[in-house]
Amino acid sequence: MTISTTKKLAGITAAAGLLIALAGCGSAPEANPTGSGDAGAADFLPCLISDAGGWNDKSFNESAKNGMDKAASELGVTPLEFESTNDNDYAPNMEQAVAEGCSLIISVGFKLSAATVEAANANPDLNFAIIDDYADTDFDGKTDAPNIKPLVFNTAEAAYLGGYAAAAWSAQAGVNKVGTFGGMQIPSVAVFMDGYQLGVEKYNEDKGADVQVFGWDVATQEGSFTGSFDANDTAKQTAQGVLDQGVDVLLPVGGPIYKSAAAAIADSGKDTLILGVDSDLAVADPSVTDITLVSIMKAIDVAVYDATMAASKGEFDPTPYVGTLKNEGVKLSSFHDFESKLPAGLTDELAALQEQIISGEITVESANSPATS
């Protein structure tokens, strides 16, 4: 069985037990090592540059920092971590990282793509990695410098499971309406929304149900977006616009914007639940544990850790790492306190769907999925 959307972005890269949070993801592919050669830990200086969401976003910046900090602790080195507060910080932070003598520079997110490519081309002896993007600024389908390792994730696979679960929850309540909204409309955001809707459609197909999705249309690639990743009034109003459709499950995709969704839900006085993204939100932010049904996770921390450890040994490999359900680079978290309240048989259905995706019986492919080969 194949579930897919038309590939609209050919040549454009992602900017971007069962059903429990797994500790690790597949390590970076090992090929003929390239890069800076044998770098002893004592001389190795890993560096990390955030996007404007900052280190406390409870999402991909924080996850990346956790991975970097773990690797640095094991190596006995002190990493340099540059926190960007706005888009104007990317280039200066990159320039400073190079000037400080960083051995490996990992940038978090597609917004740093241009700065990463420029620095990598100007410093061919340094190693770079970028999260959620292929660093393909000329859109020719190839990373723009041989010393950049993309760390990307086929999140549509895990989001498919999340969408199925959201539909089941809403159907059980008799609401039959779920929603989503995103920060910026970029592949690493829209890929969640694609998988989410496809999972809802799978539930409808299997159950003869009619759960509707508001805030995104996988066919037209149009939906509700805030235009940034800030938890502000615009994000709250965007969330409210989707809530006004009567949804009882909401997927906010874009780091801190989940806070705006939670505020809008609180104002509504309704029992709407949210899905977390990137990290296990129920654990990362206890203030929203009581409204977080489940989280669609990316093992960014493990990808950063693996890339950092490899580079420290002189084994840097620019081959792109793609996180999938199969290599545990993407996954669905535990349902935590909602486990006992789920529709009967749902966890078994999700486990079966996961196995079908891993085996290839089901292919979840969105217009925003990263290339897997």
Side-chain angles (χ1 to χ4, degrees):
M1 176 180 181
T2 300
I3 299 93
S4 64
T5 60
T6 302
K7 278 282 185 181
K8 296 183 178 180
L9 303 178
I12 301 180
T13 57
L18 295 173
L19 308 176
I20 62 173
L22 301 173
C25 77
S27 60
E30 294 193 13
N32 294 326
T34 64
S36 59
D38 186 15
D43 300 321
F44 179 69
L45 179 59
C47 298
L48 188 68
I49 304 175
S50 83
D51 84 344
W55 299 131
N56 195 37
D57 65 351
K58 309 301 179 185
S59 187
F60 67 125
N61 284 296
E62 186 169 335
S63 183
K65 186 178 188 302
N66 290 340
M68 175 64 77
D69 289 347
K70 178 183 177 183
S73 177
E74 291 185 13
L75 292 169
V77 301
T78 302
L80 297 183
E81 296 171 339
F82 303 87
E83 185 171 27
S84 304
T85 58
N86 57 63
D87 292 3
N88 294 326
D89 289 341
Y90 302 146
N93 279 343
M94 183 64 70
E95 292 169 3
Q96 186 176 355
V98 172
E100 293 281 356
C102 295
S103 309
L104 170 70
I105 302 173
I106 301 180
S107 48
V108 186
F110 92 104
K111 283 189 172 184
L112 284 95
S113 185
T116 303
V117 168
E118 182 177 358
N121 281 320
N123 300 275
D125 293 332
L126 298 184
N127 296 329
F128 295 80
I130 186 167
I131 296 166
D132 277 342
D133 196 75
Y134 274 98
D136 177 21
T137 58
D138 58 7
F139 307 123
D140 67 351
K142 300 177 182 179
T143 301
D144 292 346
N147 51 333
I148 302 176
K149 181 180 186 67
L151 305 174
V152 296
F153 303 84
N154 191 9
T155 326
E157 293 184 344
Y160 183 90
L161 302 178
Y164 190 98
W169 183 269
S170 188
Q172 173 182 251
V175 176
N176 294 305
K177 294 180 179 180
V178 302
T180 183
F181 73 102
M184 296 184 69
Q185 187 168 357
I186 56 175
S188 56
V189 170
V191 69
F192 278 92
M193 301 163 85
D194 284 343
Y196 183 69
Q197 182 176 338
L198 293 172
V200 172
E201 292 176 357
K202 173 61 174 173
Y203 179 84
N204 288 339
E205 177 188 330
D206 285 357
K207 304 295 184 179
D210 187 25
V211 179
Q212 300 177 68
V213 178
F214 293 89
W216 182 243
D217 186 324
V218 71
T220 65
Q221 294 287 292
E222 295 178 351
S224 299
F225 293 89
T226 69
S228 73
F229 297 115
D230 299 320
N232 53 24
D233 287 341
T234 299
K236 185 177 179 181
Q237 292 165 7
T238 304
Q240 188 61 58
V242 181
L243 292 172
D244 287 345
Q245 305 304 310
V247 308
D248 66 342
V249 183
L250 181 62
L251 169 65
V253 187
I257 68 173
Y258 78 86
K259 298 177 183 178
S260 301
I265 290 169
D267 288 351
S268 75
K270 297 181 179 179
D271 295 327
T272 306
L273 301 182
I274 63 174
L275 273 66
V277 300
D278 294 336
S279 300
D280 188 344
L281 187 58
V283 174
D285 187 349
S287 74
V288 295
T289 298
D290 61 337
I291 64 168
T292 303
L293 176 63
V294 72
S295 293
I296 301 162
M297 301 172 63
K298 297 188 294 194
I300 292 172
D301 54 342
V302 182
V304 169
Y305 170 86
D306 287 348
T308 303
M309 296 301 289
S312 74
K313 301 171 185 176
E315 298 172 358
F316 175 79
D317 175 10
T319 303
Y321 165 76
V322 182
T324 64
L325 284 177
K326 185 174 183 178
N327 64 21
E328 300 173 5
V330 299
K331 52 204 171 188
L332 209 60
S333 75
S334 164
F335 286 90
H336 298 291
D337 293 343
F338 290 98
E339 189 85 38
S340 63
K341 303 174 185 178
L342 298 175
L346 177 60
T347 55
D348 290 339
E349 292 169 12
L350 292 172
L353 287 173
Q354 177 163 311
E355 284 304 306
Q356 288 176 298
I357 294 170
I358 290 173
S359 71
E361 183 178 348
I362 291 177
T363 301
V364 185
E365 184 178 5
S366 86
N368 300 285
S369 291
T372 56
S373 61

